[in-house]
Amino acid sequence: MTIAVGDTLPDVKIVKATAEGNEAVQSTDFFKGKKVALFSVPGAFTPTCSAKHLPGYVEKAADLKAKGIDEIACTAVNDPFVMKAWGAATGSPDVTMLADGNGDLAEALGLTMDGSGFGLGKRGQRFSMVVNDGVVEQLFVEAPGDFKVSSAEHMLENI
């Protein structure tokens, strides 16, 4: 079943990739007590993700925070070392990188995709959501191959 607006996020282990190192956290702890703009990409360093998706949230971070977002987080089914390197290469301190290395979060959300045709295996779909104290307030899931509704611009227009 796919997560929906009004649902509480599932409790799974994710890894926060930071300059200081990797920190395993439970998703309920990470999202507790704050309003988070979460976006998911099929993979770090992939073309659309690197050229548009992550840069859009970096560019619009101040605008999102001005609209009440406490934290911006990016997740992908990649290991924390890759997420850390991607964040260092193209991100900013305004975007928290969350590694979903085993795909547990994507699976629990019901938002997986099969990227085997591209050599990616099972990945998380491209989506974004606003999560307030662990509850999904808004959810934008892309159609396969699209990049529209999960963008920072679309989120800003809808919060």
Side-chain angles (χ1 to χ4, degrees):
M1 187 160 112
T2 303
I3 192 107
V5 171
D7 289 350
T8 299
L9 287 182
D11 188 28
V12 297
K13 186 177 93 174
I14 50 180
V15 179
K16 189 173 164 183
T18 70
E20 295 77 37
N22 298 326
E23 176 188 345
V25 295
Q26 289 299 122
S27 55
T28 51
D29 294 334
F30 179 80
F31 290 96
K32 186 177 183 175
K34 56 187 167 186
K35 193 170 194 174
V36 180
L38 174 68
F39 67 102
S40 170
V41 299
F45 292 106
T46 56
T48 301
C49 305
S50 289
K52 297 178 184 177
H53 213 167
L54 177 57
Y57 280 91
V58 169
E59 180 183 313
K60 302 293 183 186
D63 297 334
L64 286 162
K65 290 181 179 184
K67 287 201 168 200
I69 297 296
D70 298 311
E71 188 162 359
I72 301 163
C74 174
T75 186
V77 178
N78 285 112
D79 67 69
F81 305 103
V82 169
M83 292 299 285
K84 178 181 174 183
W86 191 41
T90 61
S92 98
D94 291 318
V95 178
T96 302
M97 305 305 273
L98 298 175
D100 184 21
N102 295 325
D104 294 339
L105 179 62
E107 184 74 34
L109 294 173
L111 291 170
T112 60
M113 61 168 261
D114 183 1
S116 298
F118 303 101
L120 299 174
K122 188 169 88 172
R123 296 294 178 122
Q125 287 180 253
R126 188 181 305 280
F127 67 83
S128 68
M129 62 175 70
V130 175
V131 181
N132 192 356
D133 196 21
V135 176
V136 179
E137 284 190 343
Q138 295 186 336
L139 175 63
F140 309 105
V141 181
E142 295 288 359
D146 278 358
F147 174 64
K148 297 173 188 158
V149 300
S150 65
S151 70
E153 293 80 9
H154 184 81
M155 184 178 279
L156 274 168
E157 292 169 4
N158 288 280
I159 58 174

